[in-house]
Amino acid sequence: MKKVAQLFMTLFVVGWGLLVSAEPLTATFWYSYGGKNREVTEAMIKQFNESQSKYQIKGSFQGDYFQAIAKVRAAIVTKSPPTIFHSIPEVLPSLYESGILENLEPYATGDNPTDLKDFVPGLTQDGYFDYLGKEVPLFAIPFNRSTPLLYYNKDMLAEKGVNVPTTWDELREAAAKLTVREGNEVKVWGFEVPVDWWFWLAMVYQAGGSLTNATGTEAAFGEAGAEALQFWVDLVNKDQVMKHPPGQDYNAWEVTNTDFINEKVAIIFTSTAFLSYLTDNSSFQVGTAFLPKKQDFATPSGGTFFVMVKEAKPEEKEAGWAFIKWMSEPEQTAYWSKNTGYMPVRISAVESSLMKDFYEANPNYMVAYKQLQYAVRLPFSSELYTIQREYIQPHLEGPVVGVQSVEEMMQKAVEGSNQALAKGSQ
Protein backbone atom coordinates (compact mmCIF):
# COMPACT_ATOMS: atom_id res chain seq x y z
CA MET A 1 0.00 0.00 0.00
CA LYS A 2 2.86 2.33 0.83
CA LYS A 3 4.42 1.79 -2.63
CA VAL A 4 1.07 2.35 -4.29
CA ALA A 5 0.63 5.60 -2.37
CA GLN A 6 4.13 6.74 -3.36
CA LEU A 7 3.43 5.87 -7.00
CA PHE A 8 0.15 7.78 -6.87
CA MET A 9 1.89 10.81 -5.35
CA THR A 10 4.62 10.67 -8.01
CA LEU A 11 2.06 10.53 -10.78
CA PHE A 12 0.15 13.38 -9.18
CA VAL A 13 3.26 15.58 -8.95
CA VAL A 14 4.29 14.81 -12.55
CA GLY A 15 0.76 15.42 -13.78
CA TRP A 16 0.51 18.68 -11.89
CA GLY A 17 3.88 19.75 -13.28
CA LEU A 18 2.72 19.03 -16.81
CA LEU A 19 -0.47 20.98 -16.18
CA VAL A 20 1.44 23.94 -14.83
CA SER A 21 3.97 23.86 -17.66
CA ALA A 22 1.08 23.86 -20.15
CA GLU A 23 -0.06 27.27 -18.92
CA PRO A 24 0.65 29.86 -21.63
CA LEU A 25 3.16 32.65 -21.13
CA THR A 26 1.08 35.79 -20.71
CA ALA A 27 1.74 39.44 -21.52
CA THR A 28 -0.43 42.53 -21.12
CA PHE A 29 -0.93 44.92 -24.03
CA TRP A 30 -2.37 48.42 -23.71
CA TYR A 31 -3.82 49.92 -26.88
CA SER A 32 -5.51 53.16 -27.91
CA TYR A 33 -8.18 52.97 -30.54
CA GLY A 34 -11.81 53.78 -31.04
CA GLY A 35 -14.44 52.67 -33.49
CA LYS A 36 -13.57 50.27 -36.26
CA ASN A 37 -9.81 50.33 -35.57
CA ARG A 38 -10.45 49.16 -32.03
CA GLU A 39 -12.61 46.32 -33.34
CA VAL A 40 -9.86 45.24 -35.74
CA THR A 41 -7.27 45.37 -32.94
CA GLU A 42 -9.35 43.23 -30.63
CA ALA A 43 -10.07 40.74 -33.40
CA MET A 44 -6.36 40.39 -34.12
CA ILE A 45 -5.51 39.85 -30.44
CA LYS A 46 -8.13 37.09 -30.38
CA GLN A 47 -6.72 35.58 -33.57
CA PHE A 48 -3.18 35.54 -32.14
CA ASN A 49 -4.33 33.86 -28.94
CA GLU A 50 -6.25 31.21 -30.85
CA SER A 51 -3.49 30.59 -33.41
CA GLN A 52 -1.18 28.93 -30.87
CA SER A 53 -1.16 27.76 -27.25
CA LYS A 54 2.23 28.91 -25.98
CA TYR A 55 1.43 32.61 -25.51
CA GLN A 56 -1.54 34.62 -24.35
CA ILE A 57 -2.04 38.37 -24.81
CA LYS A 58 -4.38 40.24 -22.49
CA GLY A 59 -5.37 43.42 -24.29
CA SER A 60 -6.76 46.49 -22.57
CA PHE A 61 -8.15 49.69 -24.11
CA GLN A 62 -6.68 52.81 -22.48
CA GLY A 63 -8.38 55.73 -24.24
CA ASP A 64 -6.79 57.93 -26.88
CA TYR A 65 -3.04 58.22 -27.40
CA PHE A 66 -2.56 61.02 -24.88
CA GLN A 67 -4.73 59.41 -22.22
CA ALA A 68 -2.85 56.14 -22.69
CA ILE A 69 0.57 57.78 -22.30
CA ALA A 70 -0.55 59.41 -19.05
CA LYS A 71 -1.73 56.03 -17.78
CA VAL A 72 1.53 54.35 -18.78
CA ARG A 73 3.55 56.95 -16.91
CA ALA A 74 1.35 56.59 -13.84
CA ALA A 75 1.62 52.79 -14.01
CA ILE A 76 5.42 52.99 -14.18
CA VAL A 77 5.45 55.01 -10.97
CA THR A 78 3.23 52.45 -9.23
CA LYS A 79 5.24 49.50 -10.64
CA SER A 80 2.25 48.16 -12.59
CA PRO A 81 2.91 48.93 -16.26
CA PRO A 82 1.83 46.70 -19.15
CA THR A 83 4.35 44.38 -20.75
CA ILE A 84 3.97 46.06 -24.12
CA PHE A 85 2.09 49.07 -25.44
CA HIS A 86 2.04 51.18 -28.56
CA SER A 87 2.95 54.84 -28.47
CA ILE A 88 3.02 57.90 -30.67
CA PRO A 89 6.63 58.55 -31.69
CA GLU A 90 6.87 62.08 -30.24
CA VAL A 91 6.95 60.72 -26.69
CA LEU A 92 9.38 57.86 -27.36
CA PRO A 93 12.65 59.79 -26.85
CA SER A 94 11.64 60.83 -23.33
CA LEU A 95 10.44 57.31 -22.51
CA TYR A 96 13.64 55.78 -23.85
CA GLU A 97 15.97 58.23 -22.12
CA SER A 98 14.14 57.67 -18.83
CA GLY A 99 15.31 54.05 -19.05
CA ILE A 100 11.95 52.27 -19.09
CA LEU A 101 12.02 50.78 -22.61
CA GLU A 102 13.57 47.43 -23.52
CA ASN A 103 16.23 47.10 -26.21
CA LEU A 104 14.50 45.02 -28.89
CA GLU A 105 17.57 44.18 -30.97
CA PRO A 106 18.29 40.92 -29.08
CA TYR A 107 14.70 39.81 -29.70
CA ALA A 108 14.68 40.79 -33.37
CA THR A 109 17.88 38.82 -34.01
CA GLY A 110 17.47 36.07 -31.40
CA ASP A 111 15.69 32.70 -31.22
CA ASN A 112 12.43 34.15 -32.56
CA PRO A 113 13.77 36.69 -35.07
CA THR A 114 12.10 39.02 -37.52
CA ASP A 115 13.44 40.35 -40.82
CA LEU A 116 14.35 43.93 -40.00
CA LYS A 117 15.41 44.59 -43.61
CA ASP A 118 11.85 43.89 -44.75
CA PHE A 119 10.38 46.84 -42.87
CA VAL A 120 9.48 49.89 -44.98
CA PRO A 121 12.40 52.29 -44.28
CA GLY A 122 10.23 55.40 -43.97
CA LEU A 123 8.07 53.76 -41.31
CA THR A 124 10.80 52.48 -39.00
CA GLN A 125 12.31 54.03 -35.90
CA ASP A 126 15.29 55.14 -38.01
CA GLY A 127 12.94 56.55 -40.63
CA TYR A 128 11.11 58.69 -38.10
CA PHE A 129 13.95 60.06 -35.99
CA ASP A 130 17.04 62.13 -36.65
CA TYR A 131 19.23 60.87 -33.81
CA LEU A 132 21.36 64.06 -33.75
CA GLY A 133 24.56 62.03 -33.39
CA LYS A 134 23.28 59.90 -30.50
CA GLU A 135 23.76 56.13 -30.39
CA VAL A 136 20.25 54.74 -30.08
CA PRO A 137 19.45 51.00 -30.29
CA LEU A 138 16.29 49.47 -31.70
CA PHE A 139 13.57 49.87 -29.10
CA ALA A 140 10.46 50.40 -31.26
CA ILE A 141 8.82 48.29 -33.97
CA PRO A 142 6.39 50.04 -36.35
CA PHE A 143 2.74 49.12 -35.98
CA ASN A 144 -0.03 51.43 -37.19
CA ARG A 145 1.85 54.00 -39.23
CA SER A 146 0.20 56.85 -41.07
CA THR A 147 0.55 60.20 -42.75
CA PRO A 148 -1.96 63.03 -43.02
CA LEU A 149 -3.79 63.06 -46.35
CA LEU A 150 -5.97 65.39 -48.34
CA TYR A 151 -9.43 63.83 -48.68
CA TYR A 152 -11.94 65.22 -51.16
CA ASN A 153 -15.52 64.68 -52.25
CA LYS A 154 -15.13 63.68 -55.89
CA ASP A 155 -18.74 64.54 -56.71
CA MET A 156 -18.47 68.07 -55.33
CA LEU A 157 -15.21 68.82 -57.13
CA ALA A 158 -16.59 67.47 -60.40
CA GLU A 159 -19.79 69.50 -60.08
CA LYS A 160 -17.82 72.73 -59.56
CA GLY A 161 -15.14 71.88 -62.12
CA VAL A 162 -12.42 72.07 -59.46
CA ASN A 163 -9.14 70.18 -59.78
CA VAL A 164 -7.56 68.50 -56.78
CA PRO A 165 -5.28 71.18 -55.27
CA THR A 166 -1.54 70.51 -55.19
CA THR A 167 -0.37 73.84 -53.74
CA TRP A 168 -1.49 76.15 -50.95
CA ASP A 169 -2.67 78.72 -53.49
CA GLU A 170 -4.66 76.10 -55.35
CA LEU A 171 -6.19 74.91 -52.07
CA ARG A 172 -7.26 78.46 -51.27
CA GLU A 173 -8.84 78.89 -54.71
CA ALA A 174 -10.56 75.50 -54.56
CA ALA A 175 -11.97 76.19 -51.08
CA ALA A 176 -13.46 79.45 -52.34
CA LYS A 177 -15.12 77.78 -55.32
CA LEU A 178 -16.44 74.87 -53.26
CA THR A 179 -17.93 76.93 -50.42
CA VAL A 180 -21.71 77.19 -50.78
CA ARG A 181 -23.61 79.99 -49.04
CA GLU A 182 -27.31 80.67 -48.68
CA GLY A 183 -27.57 84.23 -47.42
CA ASN A 184 -25.36 84.47 -44.35
CA GLU A 185 -25.36 80.71 -43.77
CA VAL A 186 -22.65 78.40 -45.07
CA LYS A 187 -24.24 75.19 -46.35
CA VAL A 188 -20.98 73.60 -47.52
CA TRP A 189 -17.48 74.62 -46.47
CA GLY A 190 -14.70 74.40 -48.99
CA PHE A 191 -12.07 73.18 -46.52
CA GLU A 192 -11.74 71.91 -42.96
CA VAL A 193 -8.78 70.74 -40.89
CA PRO A 194 -8.31 70.27 -37.14
CA VAL A 195 -6.18 73.11 -35.78
CA ASP A 196 -3.66 70.57 -34.68
CA TRP A 197 0.11 70.18 -34.30
CA TRP A 198 0.38 67.35 -36.86
CA PHE A 199 -1.13 69.26 -39.78
CA TRP A 200 0.61 72.48 -38.78
CA LEU A 201 3.94 70.62 -38.63
CA ALA A 202 3.43 69.33 -42.17
CA MET A 203 2.92 72.90 -43.36
CA VAL A 204 6.04 74.12 -41.54
CA TYR A 205 8.16 71.80 -43.67
CA GLN A 206 6.12 72.57 -46.79
CA ALA A 207 7.01 76.22 -46.26
CA GLY A 208 10.72 75.37 -46.12
CA GLY A 209 11.07 75.36 -42.34
CA SER A 210 11.93 72.70 -39.77
CA LEU A 211 11.11 72.04 -36.14
CA THR A 212 14.67 72.55 -34.85
CA ASN A 213 18.08 73.39 -36.19
CA ALA A 214 20.41 70.62 -37.41
CA THR A 215 21.78 69.94 -33.94
CA GLY A 216 18.40 69.92 -32.21
CA THR A 217 19.48 72.66 -29.82
CA GLU A 218 17.23 75.51 -30.98
CA ALA A 219 13.72 75.88 -32.39
CA ALA A 220 13.71 76.70 -36.09
CA PHE A 221 9.99 76.86 -36.87
CA GLY A 222 9.31 80.52 -36.15
CA GLU A 223 9.03 82.01 -39.63
CA ALA A 224 7.60 78.98 -41.45
CA GLY A 225 5.35 78.16 -38.49
CA ALA A 226 3.90 81.66 -38.56
CA GLU A 227 3.33 81.40 -42.31
CA ALA A 228 1.51 78.08 -41.88
CA LEU A 229 -0.70 79.33 -39.06
CA GLN A 230 -1.45 82.60 -40.86
CA PHE A 231 -2.69 80.58 -43.82
CA TRP A 232 -5.32 78.96 -41.58
CA VAL A 233 -6.19 82.27 -39.92
CA ASP A 234 -6.82 83.87 -43.31
CA LEU A 235 -8.90 80.97 -44.61
CA VAL A 236 -11.10 81.06 -41.50
CA ASN A 237 -11.43 84.80 -40.90
CA LYS A 238 -10.58 86.64 -44.10
CA ASP A 239 -11.72 84.28 -46.87
CA GLN A 240 -14.29 82.49 -44.66
CA VAL A 241 -13.92 79.27 -46.63
CA MET A 242 -12.42 77.03 -43.95
CA LYS A 243 -14.46 75.67 -41.06
CA HIS A 244 -12.68 75.66 -37.73
CA PRO A 245 -13.83 72.39 -36.10
CA PRO A 246 -14.61 72.82 -32.39
CA GLY A 247 -12.99 70.71 -29.69
CA GLN A 248 -9.51 69.72 -28.64
CA ASP A 249 -7.25 66.96 -29.97
CA TYR A 250 -9.15 64.01 -31.43
CA ASN A 251 -12.53 65.56 -30.69
CA ALA A 252 -11.79 68.08 -33.46
CA TRP A 253 -10.67 65.24 -35.73
CA GLU A 254 -13.99 63.48 -35.15
CA VAL A 255 -15.94 66.64 -36.01
CA THR A 256 -13.94 67.02 -39.24
CA ASN A 257 -14.55 63.43 -40.28
CA THR A 258 -18.27 63.68 -39.49
CA ASP A 259 -18.63 66.91 -41.45
CA PHE A 260 -16.98 65.25 -44.45
CA ILE A 261 -19.25 62.19 -44.30
CA ASN A 262 -22.32 64.44 -43.95
CA GLU A 263 -21.22 66.48 -47.01
CA LYS A 264 -20.83 69.68 -45.04
CA VAL A 265 -17.29 70.14 -46.36
CA ALA A 266 -15.67 69.31 -49.68
CA ILE A 267 -11.97 68.94 -48.74
CA ILE A 268 -10.39 67.96 -45.44
CA PHE A 269 -7.02 67.01 -44.00
CA THR A 270 -7.09 63.96 -41.77
CA SER A 271 -5.15 60.77 -41.15
CA THR A 272 -4.64 57.69 -43.27
CA ALA A 273 -6.09 55.93 -40.24
CA PHE A 274 -9.61 56.96 -41.20
CA LEU A 275 -9.51 55.91 -44.85
CA SER A 276 -11.52 52.74 -44.36
CA TYR A 277 -13.98 54.47 -42.04
CA LEU A 278 -14.57 57.44 -44.36
CA THR A 279 -14.88 55.24 -47.43
CA ASP A 280 -17.36 52.87 -45.80
CA ASN A 281 -19.55 55.62 -44.36
CA SER A 282 -19.67 58.15 -47.20
CA SER A 283 -22.47 58.08 -49.79
CA PHE A 284 -20.23 59.78 -52.35
CA GLN A 285 -16.96 58.90 -54.04
CA VAL A 286 -13.99 59.66 -51.79
CA GLY A 287 -10.65 60.71 -53.23
CA THR A 288 -7.26 61.08 -51.52
CA ALA A 289 -4.17 63.04 -52.49
CA PHE A 290 -0.85 64.32 -51.19
CA LEU A 291 -0.91 67.31 -48.87
CA PRO A 292 -0.48 70.48 -50.98
CA LYS A 293 2.93 72.11 -51.05
CA LYS A 294 4.12 75.67 -50.50
CA GLN A 295 7.78 75.37 -51.50
CA ASP A 296 8.01 71.60 -51.23
CA PHE A 297 5.85 68.55 -50.68
CA ALA A 298 6.37 67.41 -47.10
CA THR A 299 4.61 65.31 -44.52
CA PRO A 300 5.27 64.04 -41.03
CA SER A 301 4.48 60.41 -40.39
CA GLY A 302 2.39 59.38 -37.45
CA GLY A 303 0.59 56.51 -35.83
CA THR A 304 2.44 54.41 -33.28
CA PHE A 305 5.25 51.97 -32.56
CA PHE A 306 5.27 48.86 -30.38
CA VAL A 307 7.52 49.12 -27.33
CA MET A 308 8.26 46.83 -24.38
CA VAL A 309 8.78 47.73 -20.72
CA LYS A 310 12.26 46.87 -19.46
CA GLU A 311 11.09 45.84 -15.97
CA ALA A 312 8.65 43.17 -17.21
CA LYS A 313 9.35 39.55 -16.29
CA PRO A 314 11.33 37.46 -18.82
CA GLU A 315 8.37 35.21 -19.60
CA GLU A 316 6.17 38.27 -20.16
CA LYS A 317 8.75 39.76 -22.50
CA GLU A 318 8.93 36.53 -24.46
CA ALA A 319 5.16 36.55 -24.93
CA GLY A 320 5.14 40.27 -25.68
CA TRP A 321 7.79 39.91 -28.36
CA ALA A 322 5.97 36.96 -29.93
CA PHE A 323 2.91 39.18 -30.32
CA ILE A 324 4.88 42.18 -31.65
CA LYS A 325 6.54 39.94 -34.22
CA TRP A 326 3.25 38.32 -35.24
CA MET A 327 1.44 41.64 -35.61
CA SER A 328 4.18 43.04 -37.85
CA GLU A 329 4.47 40.01 -40.12
CA PRO A 330 3.43 40.55 -43.77
CA GLU A 331 0.10 38.72 -43.56
CA GLN A 332 -1.04 40.57 -40.44
CA THR A 333 0.15 44.02 -41.51
CA ALA A 334 -1.60 43.58 -44.87
CA TYR A 335 -4.82 42.60 -43.10
CA TRP A 336 -4.47 45.56 -40.74
CA SER A 337 -3.94 47.98 -43.62
CA LYS A 338 -6.87 46.72 -45.70
CA ASN A 339 -9.24 46.98 -42.74
CA THR A 340 -8.12 50.35 -41.37
CA GLY A 341 -6.22 52.48 -43.89
CA TYR A 342 -2.89 52.48 -42.04
CA MET A 343 0.11 51.61 -44.18
CA PRO A 344 1.59 48.09 -44.24
CA VAL A 345 4.94 48.22 -42.45
CA ARG A 346 6.57 45.41 -44.45
CA ILE A 347 7.98 45.75 -47.97
CA SER A 348 6.97 42.19 -48.82
CA ALA A 349 3.38 42.99 -47.82
CA VAL A 350 3.25 46.08 -50.05
CA GLU A 351 4.70 44.10 -52.96
CA SER A 352 2.56 41.01 -52.45
CA SER A 353 0.02 40.06 -55.11
CA LEU A 354 -2.68 40.39 -52.45
CA MET A 355 -1.90 44.06 -51.78
CA LYS A 356 -1.18 44.87 -55.42
CA ASP A 357 -4.63 43.61 -56.36
CA PHE A 358 -6.11 45.55 -53.45
CA TYR A 359 -4.33 48.77 -54.44
CA GLU A 360 -5.48 48.39 -58.04
CA ALA A 361 -9.08 48.13 -56.87
CA ASN A 362 -8.65 50.74 -54.10
CA PRO A 363 -6.05 53.30 -55.28
CA ASN A 364 -6.78 55.64 -52.35
CA TYR A 365 -4.94 53.21 -50.07
CA MET A 366 -1.68 53.61 -52.00
CA VAL A 367 -1.51 57.41 -51.72
CA ALA A 368 -0.04 57.52 -48.20
CA TYR A 369 2.62 54.97 -49.12
CA LYS A 370 3.63 57.05 -52.15
CA GLN A 371 3.66 60.21 -50.05
CA LEU A 372 6.34 58.66 -47.82
CA GLN A 373 8.95 59.88 -50.30
CA TYR A 374 8.32 63.34 -48.82
CA ALA A 375 8.30 62.25 -45.17
CA VAL A 376 10.39 64.35 -42.77
CA ARG A 377 12.40 63.14 -39.78
CA LEU A 378 12.03 64.73 -36.36
CA PRO A 379 14.76 65.28 -33.78
CA PHE A 380 15.36 62.54 -31.22
CA SER A 381 14.92 64.87 -28.28
CA SER A 382 13.53 64.13 -24.84
CA GLU A 383 11.74 67.48 -25.15
CA LEU A 384 9.92 66.69 -28.40
CA TYR A 385 6.68 65.73 -26.62
CA THR A 386 6.90 68.76 -24.33
CA ILE A 387 7.31 71.09 -27.31
CA GLN A 388 4.28 69.52 -28.96
CA ARG A 389 1.94 69.36 -25.97
CA GLU A 390 2.96 72.46 -24.00
CA TYR A 391 4.34 75.08 -26.34
CA ILE A 392 2.58 74.52 -29.66
CA GLN A 393 -0.60 72.43 -29.61
CA PRO A 394 -2.54 74.32 -26.89
CA HIS A 395 -1.83 77.72 -28.46
CA LEU A 396 -2.55 77.19 -32.15
CA GLU A 397 -6.22 78.06 -31.76
CA GLY A 398 -5.59 81.47 -30.20
CA PRO A 399 -4.81 83.28 -33.47
CA VAL A 400 -7.55 81.39 -35.32
CA VAL A 401 -10.23 82.64 -32.90
CA GLY A 402 -8.68 86.10 -32.69
CA VAL A 403 -7.50 86.22 -29.07
CA GLN A 404 -3.81 86.45 -29.98
CA SER A 405 -1.77 87.41 -33.01
CA VAL A 406 0.17 84.82 -34.96
CA GLU A 407 3.41 86.67 -34.23
CA GLU A 408 2.79 86.71 -30.47
CA MET A 409 1.88 83.05 -30.39
CA MET A 410 4.92 81.98 -32.41
CA GLN A 411 7.31 84.10 -30.39
CA LYS A 412 6.13 82.46 -27.16
CA ALA A 413 6.22 79.00 -28.75
CA VAL A 414 9.81 79.51 -29.93
CA GLU A 415 10.92 80.89 -26.55
CA GLY A 416 9.29 78.04 -24.63
CA SER A 417 10.70 75.43 -27.01
CA ASN A 418 14.19 76.88 -26.72
CA GLN A 419 13.99 76.75 -22.94
CA ALA A 420 12.89 73.12 -23.11
CA LEU A 421 15.65 72.19 -25.55
CA ALA A 422 18.26 73.91 -23.36
CA LYS A 423 17.00 71.99 -20.35
CA GLY A 424 17.02 68.71 -22.27
CA SER A 425 20.65 69.18 -23.32
CA GLN A 426 21.89 69.63 -19.74
Side-chain angles (χ1 to χ4, degrees):
M1 291 294 294
K2 186 175 181 181
K3 290 183 179 180
V4 171
Q6 288 177 337
L7 178 60
F8 176 79
M9 181 60 67
T10 300
L11 292 173
F12 175 79
V13 171
V14 171
W16 177 253
L18 291 173
L19 180 63
V20 171
S21 65
E23 288 293 316
L25 303 181
T26 301
T28 52
F29 168 45
W30 285 7
Y31 56 90
S32 308
Y33 294 112
K36 181 176 181 179
N37 293 351
R38 179 177 172 183
E39 293 174 5
V40 176
T41 303
E42 292 171 346
M44 294 184 76
I45 294 172
K46 184 173 184 290
Q47 182 183 352
F48 172 79
N49 288 338
E50 293 177 351
S51 69
Q52 43 73 51
S53 58
K54 186 175 182 179
Y55 306 111
Q56 190 78 9
I57 296 298
K58 294 184 177 180
S60 178
F61 173 67
Q62 299 296 323
D64 67 32
Y65 292 151
F66 305 115
Q67 293 167 337
I69 287 300
K71 291 180 181 180
V72 166
R73 284 176 160 167
I76 289 168
V77 172
T78 59
K79 306 293 185 182
S80 57
T83 312
I84 58 175
F85 59 97
H86 66 118
S87 171
I88 56 173
E90 295 96 323
V91 76
L92 291 181
S94 62
L95 292 177
Y96 170 76
E97 293 186 353
S98 68
I100 70 168
L101 300 182
E102 180 83 344
N103 180 355
L104 296 180
E105 287 186 16
Y107 299 85
T109 59
D111 295 335
N112 188 19
T114 191
D115 185 1
L116 294 176
K117 293 181 180 179
D118 189 41
F119 284 92
V120 177
L123 300 179
T124 63
Q125 175 184 314
D126 291 348
Y128 186 90
F129 290 113
D130 176 357
Y131 293 127
L132 306 174
K134 300 176 182 177
E135 293 291 333
V136 181
L138 176 71
F139 64 86
I141 297 293
F143 175 36
N144 56 308
R145 301 288 280 115
S146 60
T147 69
L149 291 177
L150 182 151
Y151 289 76
Y152 61 97
N153 183 317
K154 286 187 175 183
D155 300 342
M156 286 185 178
L157 268 66
E159 180 183 350
K160 297 287 186 177
V162 174
N163 294 325
V164 179
T166 61
T167 67
W168 288 15
D169 288 342
E170 290 176 0
L171 175 61
R172 190 171 199 161
E173 293 170 4
K177 292 178 180 178
L178 293 163
T179 298
V180 178
R181 291 183 170 85
E182 291 184 4
N184 294 326
E185 183 181 0
V186 176
K187 303 296 289 186
V188 177
W189 291 93
F191 177 56
E192 185 172 357
V193 59
V195 179
D196 182 272
W197 141 276
W198 203 38
F199 307 105
W200 169 85
L201 184 65
M203 296 175 69
V204 169
Y205 284 86
Q206 290 160 15
S210 62
L211 188 64
T212 69
N213 61 5
T215 58
T217 55
E218 292 183 359
F221 58 79
E223 184 176 345
E227 187 175 4
L229 185 54
Q230 188 65 55
F231 183 70
W232 285 349
V233 170
D234 289 345
L235 290 182
V236 170
N237 300 293
K238 182 180 178 181
D239 300 356
Q240 298 182 359
V241 296
M242 169 181 157
K243 181 184 177 185
H244 167 215
Q248 298 294 321
D249 290 330
Y250 297 119
N251 292 326
W253 295 47
E254 185 176 351
V255 171
T256 301
N257 292 345
T258 301
D259 285 344
F260 186 67
I261 290 170
N262 292 334
E263 300 187 71
K264 293 182 178 180
V265 60
I267 297 174
I268 65 171
F269 290 172
T270 193
S271 174
T272 316
F274 302 114
L275 179 51
S276 179
Y277 169 74
L278 294 176
T279 301
D280 292 346
N281 289 280
S282 297
S283 60
F284 52 87
Q285 286 191 319
V286 176
T288 62
F290 291 1
L291 297 180
K293 66 179 179 179
K294 178 66 174 179
Q295 296 183 21
D296 307 292
F297 286 113
T299 181
S301 59
T304 68
F305 289 83
F306 276 121
V307 291
M308 185 184 296
V309 175
K310 185 181 293 186
E311 297 305 316
K313 296 177 181 178
E315 60 271 22
E316 295 172 344
K317 293 179 183 179
E318 181 181 339
W321 170 254
F323 181 65
I324 291 174
K325 176 191 172 182
W326 183 85
M327 285 289 283
S328 61
E329 286 175 345
E331 183 177 353
Q332 278 70 249
T333 192
Y335 175 85
W336 172 256
S337 177
K338 289 171 62 178
N339 285 276
T340 62
Y342 287 107
M343 290 175 282
V345 299
R346 298 289 284 267
I347 298 171
S348 58
V350 176
E351 296 179 348
S352 67
S353 59
L354 176 70
M355 288 306 295
K356 284 182 177 179
D357 291 344
F358 179 75
Y359 288 141
E360 185 175 354
N362 302 275
N364 283 340
Y365 284 75
M366 191 63 174
V367 173
Y369 183 76
K370 291 181 177 178
Q371 191 178 224
L372 276 180
Q373 64 187 296
Y374 301 112
V376 298
R377 297 168 72 209
L378 297 186
F380 191 84
S381 168
S382 60
E383 301 305 313
L384 182 59
Y385 190 65
T386 300
I387 291 171
Q388 176 198 1
R389 298 300 294 171
E390 293 187 18
Y391 298 114
I392 296 176
Q393 176 65 44
H395 309 294
L396 289 173
E397 279 196 311
V400 175
V401 299
V403 299
Q404 191 178 31
S405 73
V406 170
E407 291 74 17
E408 290 172 334
M409 181 266 160
M410 279 298 140
Q411 181 179 353
K412 291 181 179 179
V414 169
E415 290 175 354
S417 299
N418 282 334
Q419 291 173 5
L421 290 168
K423 178 182 177 183
S425 64
Q426 292 176 355

